């Protein structure tokens, strides 16, 4: 149970002054639903404004505070145009205060003609006229509080303003309780870190690196401690030692020999499965590196030992494709496999549930449906989780609870993770890496093409499909957005369908499952030659016949994403091509990323470079469903502070009595504060 001292922080934002249903909506879009969320909604940057006597003293692009007297209000001729208030300074210089949308109502109230006001904002030029667009503050003349403002700038959503959000953050900070100190005293003293309450207040007031580092360290310590609790809990549990006799694996008729990396990983997994302590291992490998075959060997060891295995996939498409692949591989062995998704109903579902309960089904593949309350197993001994970053620890534990004893767990990811971040995300797991590709796989010819050559690319795709080959066309979003010029899959599909006819199909995450499956079935059968899609095909689509991929506006993707998308082609011995279409406004970082894609197909090297160029957010799956990693800690802080936090957590667990005692009690508060309380629950239920 959450400690009472944290209750003020976990109160809903509706308990703050001025927050009703109307304001709660834009707050909710930012994930700010509780007082704690506001307290940790740290500024993106700070603006320092300089007071000037007149506009001659200010430079264009500068943040200033100046006294202005409105002389005229000008409404737009059309309803969508800007509303301008012309005002002059003490020297007679004219400046337009420009407002868009509903903000014009504010301008009419705040800026009466002939009455001097102090205006704070960024001075720019529109044509021949100076202007301040949407002034940040307007105050009556003589109010000196606007001078020398150092003001936080927060991420906003529509319906929120900086002053409104800053006021709510201020209310949240006033409610902060005095929490016990969880950082080891020597660690804190050596770095001159403030206490928790003061650190949060200082982080909202200005650029205080010590305060920010303290808050980041708290988050990293909570994560490290929670993962250690998972690992410790796992080692205390009694699992089922699995010793396969090899009779089923000997019957496999694989079309290719195992690589050295696959053989090594299978041996590591077999060693883990033979122990009573449940396995908790992560299998990393590029698309096409052979993770499924390694998982198949692990599942057959469980079946040879008279137990059951389950494979959990994040999407129905991926679950169905895993099922088809594994069913074909398992056919010579005689092992029974079934597919269970949320779409299965009626007698078919009941038959599968009965087979899992009585043990006639050896292996089940499915989505989250396989760990619902209605699903029971005779003896589940191994859980394989594909695309681990899509799931949280809590979901993994739900599935683990389905066994008589704690099942062994093998998690897989096709996202190569830099070694510097593996500890942050998977600190509770042992790691196996598939760092070599199967023999005979041809390198993918990767080229960068300017977007202005789109017509030539379309013609090349036409020649490709006319020759009987298949191709992918990937866009960064589903449909066009009014405010952004981003290639959209729906529009591209319509244009390509006009050009090539019904042989073009569309797949994206917002389509109904039946439509996605139908499109994929046509493509897999070779009836459709061109598949237009978003990154929904980043994982979960395996059609080796496709030997050409076009990725539109490739600069909008990270290296890890581009690499995984590229891995959809070139699965066999045929020559394959990936065309990266780049936009005109390409940054230096964007150019470097695309150049690296041409230079190497080593996913682990690309992951390290992506970390250097973009930061760790995408690699850590920050916006994926599941266990959200870091809200406060930046990449730089992760690299600097994570080793310290990891060592501190280990000392707490091994030397300082774990979660008992004075510091242990404070650490419990920390875990609940960062919602890692599943670590505490594990400790209690161990």
């Amino acid at each position: 149970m959450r400690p009472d001292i944290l209750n003020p922080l976990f109160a809903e934002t509706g308990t703050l002054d001025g927050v009703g249903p109307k304001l709660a909506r834009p707050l909710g879009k930012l994930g700010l639903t509780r007082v704690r969320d506001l307290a940790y909604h740290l500024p993106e940057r700070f603006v320092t404004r300089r007071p000037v006597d007149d506009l001659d003293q200010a430079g264009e692009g500068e943040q200033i505070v100046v006294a202005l007297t409105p002389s005229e209000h000008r409404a737009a001729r059309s309803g969508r145009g800007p509303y301008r208030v012309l005002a002059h300074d003490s020297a007679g210089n004219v400046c337009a205060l420009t407002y868009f949308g509903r903000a014009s109502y504010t301008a009419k109230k705040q800026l009466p003609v002939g009455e001097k006001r102090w205006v704070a904002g960024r001075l720019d030029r529109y044509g021949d006229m100076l202007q301040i667009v949407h002034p940040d503050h307007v105050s009556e003349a003589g109010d000196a509080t606007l001078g020398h403002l150092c003001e936080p700038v927060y991420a906003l959503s529509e319906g929120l303003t900086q002053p409104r959000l800053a006021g709510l953050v201020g209310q949240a900070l006033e409610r902060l309780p005095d929490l016990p100190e969880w950082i080891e005293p020597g660690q804190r003293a050596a770095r001159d870190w403030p206490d928790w309450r003061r650190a949060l207040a200082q982080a909202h007031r200005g650029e205080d690196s010590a305060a920010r580092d303290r808050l980041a360290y708290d988050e990293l310590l909570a994560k490290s401690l929670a993962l250690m609790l998972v690992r410790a809990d796992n080692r205390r549990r009694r699992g089922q030692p699995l010793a396969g006799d090899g009779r089923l694996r000997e019957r496999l008729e694989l079309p290719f020999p195992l690589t050295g990396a696959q053989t090594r990983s299978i041996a590591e997994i077999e060693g883990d499965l033979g122990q009573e302590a449940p396995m908790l291992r992560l299998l990393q490998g590029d698309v096409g590196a052979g993770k499924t075959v390694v998982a198949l060997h692990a599942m057959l060891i469980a079946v040879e030992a008279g137990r059951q295995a389950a494979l959990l996939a994040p999407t129905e498409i991926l679950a169905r494709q895993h099922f088809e692949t594994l069913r074909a591989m398992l056919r010579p062995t005689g092992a029974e496999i079934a597919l269970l998704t949320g779409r299965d109903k009626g007698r078919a579902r009941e038959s599968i549930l009965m087979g899992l309960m009585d043990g006639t089904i050896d292996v089940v593949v499915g989505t989250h449906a396989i760990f619902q309350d209605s699903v029971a197993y005779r003896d589940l001994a191994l859980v394989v989780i594909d695309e681990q970053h899509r799931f949280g620890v809590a979901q993994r534990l739900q599935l683990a609870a389905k066994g008589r004893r704690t099942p062994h767990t093998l998690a897989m990811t096709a996202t190569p993770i830099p070694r510097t971040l593996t500890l942050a995300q998977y600190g509770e797991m042992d790691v196996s890496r598939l760092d070599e590709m199967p023999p005979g796989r041809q390198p993918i010819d990767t080229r960068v093409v300017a977007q202005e050559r789109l017509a030539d690319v379309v013609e090349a795709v036409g020649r490709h499909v006319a020759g009987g080959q298949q191709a992918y066309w990937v866009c960064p979003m589903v449909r066009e957005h009014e405010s952004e010029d981003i290639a959209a899959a729906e529009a591209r599909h319509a244009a390509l369908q006009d050009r090539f006819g019904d042989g073009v199909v569309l797949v994206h995450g917002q389509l109904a499952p039946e439509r996605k499956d139908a499109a994929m079935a046509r493509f897999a059968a070779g009836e459709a030659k061109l598949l237009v899609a978003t990154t929904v095909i980043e994982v979960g689509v395996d059609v080796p016949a496709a030997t050409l991929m076009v990725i539109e506006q490739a600069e909008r993707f990270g290296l890890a994403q581009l690499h995984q998308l590229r891995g959809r082609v070139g699965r066999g011995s045929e020559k394959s091509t990936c065309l990266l279409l780049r936009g005109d406004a390409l940054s230096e970082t964007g150019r470097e990323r695309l150049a690296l894609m041409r230079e190497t197909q080593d996913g682990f090297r690309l992951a390290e470079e992506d970390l250097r160029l973009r930061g760790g957010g995408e690699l850590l799956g920050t916006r994926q469903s599941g266990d959200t990693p870091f809200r406060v800690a930046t990449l730089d802080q992760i690299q600097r502070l994570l080793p310290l936090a990891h060592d501190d957590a280990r000392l707490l667990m091994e030397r300082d009595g774990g979660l008992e005692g004075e510091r242990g009690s404070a650490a419990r508060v920390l875990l609940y504060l960062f919602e890692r309380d599943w670590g505490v629950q594990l400790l209690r239920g161990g």
Side-chain angles (χ1 to χ4, degrees):
M1 178 179 285
R2 182 190 302 133
D4 291 342
I5 196 172
L6 293 178
N7 288 343
L9 288 171
F10 284 86
E12 294 184 357
T13 52
T15 61
L16 299 174
D17 292 341
V19 180
K22 185 176 180 180
L23 191 57
R25 283 192 289 274
L27 288 173
K29 289 179 182 177
L30 292 170
L32 307 178
T33 60
R34 301 159 304 180
V35 171
R36 174 201 175 277
D37 303 325
L38 282 165
Y40 275 100
H41 190 63
L42 300 182
E44 294 181 320
R45 56 190 172 88
F46 291 86
V47 172
T48 302
R49 298 189 179 87
R50 184 170 66 92
V52 296
D53 295 327
D54 58 61
L55 296 171
D56 290 329
Q57 298 176 1
E60 291 180 25
E62 187 178 2
Q63 295 283 352
I64 63 170
V65 180
V66 64
L68 297 174
T69 303
S71 56
E72 182 183 352
H73 285 238
R74 290 183 181 177
R77 292 179 181 177
S78 66
R80 293 188 176 182
Y83 185 93
R84 289 190 172 92
V85 180
L86 300 186
H88 60 269
D89 64 12
S90 59
N93 298 306
V94 177
C95 179
L97 307 177
T98 305
Y99 295 82
F100 293 90
R102 296 179 181 178
S104 61
Y105 296 109
T106 303
K108 293 172 184 176
K109 292 180 181 179
Q110 290 184 333
L111 296 162
V113 172
E115 296 188 20
K116 186 183 291 186
R117 293 289 185 266
W118 283 82
V119 178
R122 175 185 162 119
L123 183 67
D124 288 301
R125 185 176 292 277
Y126 179 73
D128 295 331
M129 181 173 286
L130 293 171
Q131 75 167 356
I132 297 175
V133 178
H134 284 281
D136 297 314
H137 296 280
V138 175
S139 181
E140 293 185 8
D143 186 349
T145 59
L146 294 184
H148 295 286
L149 275 178
C150 178
E151 186 172 291
V153 178
Y154 296 99
L156 298 176
S157 63
E158 188 175 358
L160 279 174
T161 63
Q162 291 291 346
R164 191 77 184 92
L165 186 53
L168 295 176
V169 169
Q171 287 191 58
L173 295 178
E174 289 173 2
R175 294 193 180 190
L176 295 183
D178 289 315
L179 299 183
E181 185 56 75
W182 44 74
I183 298 179
E184 196 275 325
Q187 185 92 279
R188 184 183 153 201
R191 287 160 181 80
D192 196 25
W193 283 342
D195 62 43
W196 171 79
R197 197 173 190 271
R198 195 150 47 93
L200 263 176
Q202 290 174 356
H204 284 278
R205 282 203 299 263
E207 301 285 357
D208 189 319
S209 59
R212 285 267 187 159
D213 277 0
R214 154 73 205 238
L215 298 175
Y217 185 84
D218 291 344
E219 186 174 35
L220 295 170
L221 180 61
K223 177 77 173 189
S224 297
L225 187 55
L227 293 181
M228 284 186 186
L229 288 168
V230 171
R231 194 176 184 92
D233 171 78
N234 196 68
R235 287 176 173 173
R236 284 197 308 271
R237 290 176 180 267
R238 291 186 63 197
Q240 304 181 64
L242 301 178
D245 55 16
R247 70 184 189 281
L248 300 181
R249 285 170 284 167
E250 289 173 357
R251 299 178 195 170
L252 288 173
E253 299 174 359
L254 301 178
F256 40 78
L258 295 175
T259 66
Q262 286 175 312
T263 302
R264 181 183 68 243
S265 297
I266 290 170
E268 291 169 346
I269 292 166
E270 188 166 14
D272 287 353
L273 294 177
Q275 306 300 313
E276 185 174 61
M279 175 178 71
L280 202 53
R281 182 170 288 275
L282 176 70
L283 179 64
Q284 285 184 289
D286 268 345
V287 173
K291 296 185 299 298
T292 303
V293 172
V294 174
L296 173 65
H297 276 260
M299 290 188 285
L300 283 177
I301 291 172
V303 177
E304 288 169 357
R307 311 294 201 278
Q308 294 169 296
L311 189 152
L312 173 64
T315 66
E316 191 167 319
I317 288 179
L318 186 53
R320 289 184 179 279
Q321 292 188 340
H322 271 313
F323 171 69
E324 295 298 338
T325 300
L326 291 172
R327 182 168 63 172
M329 290 180 172
L330 285 172
R331 193 169 290 123
T333 71
E336 290 294 325
I337 185 171
L339 173 70
L340 182 63
T341 70
R343 206 194 315 176
D344 297 306
K345 308 291 181 187
R347 290 183 179 177
R349 176 181 173 82
E350 291 301 319
S351 175
I352 295 170
L353 295 183
M354 186 60 68
L356 292 174
M357 190 180 298
D358 65 20
T360 53
I361 293 176
D362 301 302
V363 177
V364 64
V365 178
T367 57
H368 63 279
I370 66 176
F371 60 72
Q372 291 176 340
D373 291 342
S374 59
V375 181
Y377 297 80
R378 184 184 65 83
D379 199 349
L380 180 64
L382 172 64
V383 175
V384 179
I385 303 176
D386 196 19
E387 292 308 315
Q388 157 68 21
H389 66 279
R390 304 285 184 98
F391 300 99
V393 173
Q395 288 173 300
R396 193 175 73 216
L397 294 175
Q398 271 185 288
L399 189 52
K402 292 292 184 181
R404 291 182 182 177
R405 294 184 182 178
T406 302
H408 299 276
T409 301
L410 175 65
M412 304 192 297
T413 179
T415 303
I417 302 169
R419 294 184 187 276
T420 50
L421 295 184
T422 302
L423 182 65
Q425 184 70 345
Y426 301 113
E428 83 281 25
M429 294 184 175
D430 297 307
V431 179
S432 294
R433 278 192 168 195
L434 298 181
D435 49 11
E436 59 182 299
M437 300 302 286
R441 180 165 177 177
Q442 293 281 335
I444 301 167
D445 181 15
T446 304
R447 307 175 194 174
V448 180
V449 182
Q451 187 79 20
E452 61 193 29
R453 293 184 56 198
L454 179 64
D456 295 337
V457 172
V458 172
E459 289 303 314
V461 170
R463 292 191 296 272
H464 186 80
V465 299
Q469 299 294 306
Q470 290 180 289
Y472 295 104
W473 191 297
V474 182
C475 297
M477 64 183 298
V478 174
R479 57 182 62 90
E480 292 177 351
H481 194 278
E482 291 180 3
S483 64
E484 293 188 85
D485 182 22
I486 302 179
E490 290 182 342
R492 184 62 64 212
H493 172 253
L496 292 172
Q497 200 169 48
D498 286 344
R499 171 71 173 77
F500 300 119
D502 290 338
V504 185
V505 292
L506 173 68
V507 171
H508 59 70
Q510 296 176 22
L511 282 179
E514 295 80 6
R515 292 184 62 189
K516 279 192 289 191
D517 286 352
M520 287 305 308
R522 286 192 63 204
F523 192 63
E527 298 171 13
K529 297 298 184 183
L530 179 57
L531 174 65
V532 181
T534 58
T535 55
V536 70
I537 68 162
E538 184 180 341
V539 294
V541 180
D542 186 3
V543 186
T547 52
L548 173 65
M549 173 174 282
V550 178
I551 303 178
E552 197 163 353
Q553 292 184 322
E555 70 276 6
R556 292 186 176 272
F557 299 91
L559 274 173
Q561 266 192 318
L562 288 174
H563 179 64
Q564 283 195 296
L565 287 167
R566 179 173 61 180
R568 297 295 114 200
V569 298
R571 306 298 298 277
S573 58
E574 294 183 71
K575 180 180 177 182
S576 301
T577 303
C578 180
L579 300 179
L580 305 176
L581 269 64
R582 60 168 176 80
D584 295 330
L586 193 61
S587 67
E588 283 301 314
T589 299
R591 288 182 198 283
E592 191 172 347
R593 286 208 309 273
L594 298 189
L596 281 165
M597 286 294 295
R598 293 182 59 188
E599 181 182 325
T600 183
Q601 294 182 41
D602 182 340
F604 291 103
R605 182 189 166 194
L606 288 171
E608 297 287 351
E609 292 296 331
D610 211 16
L611 178 64
R612 179 177 65 85
L613 293 170
R614 289 167 61 89
E618 278 195 10
L619 293 171
L620 289 173
T622 302
R623 293 293 176 255
Q624 302 286 357
S625 61
D627 200 19
T628 305
F630 303 112
R631 180 167 187 165
V632 179
T634 64
L635 172 62
D636 171 68
Q637 289 169 328
I638 292 170
Q639 291 176 314
R640 285 190 293 111
L641 301 176
L642 180 61
L644 298 174
H646 186 76
D647 289 345
D648 196 5
R650 190 174 68 247
L651 282 174
L652 177 63
M653 292 296 294
E654 297 176 359
R655 187 195 71 182
D656 298 341
L659 298 189
E660 304 302 325
E662 184 176 351
R663 189 172 171 225
S665 177
R668 287 175 183 261
V669 173
L670 172 70
L671 289 169
Y672 277 98
L673 175 65
F674 281 97
E675 297 180 287
R676 307 290 182 188
D677 44 288
W678 38 262
V680 181
Q681 303 304 324
L682 282 177
L683 195 67
R684 288 177 176 168

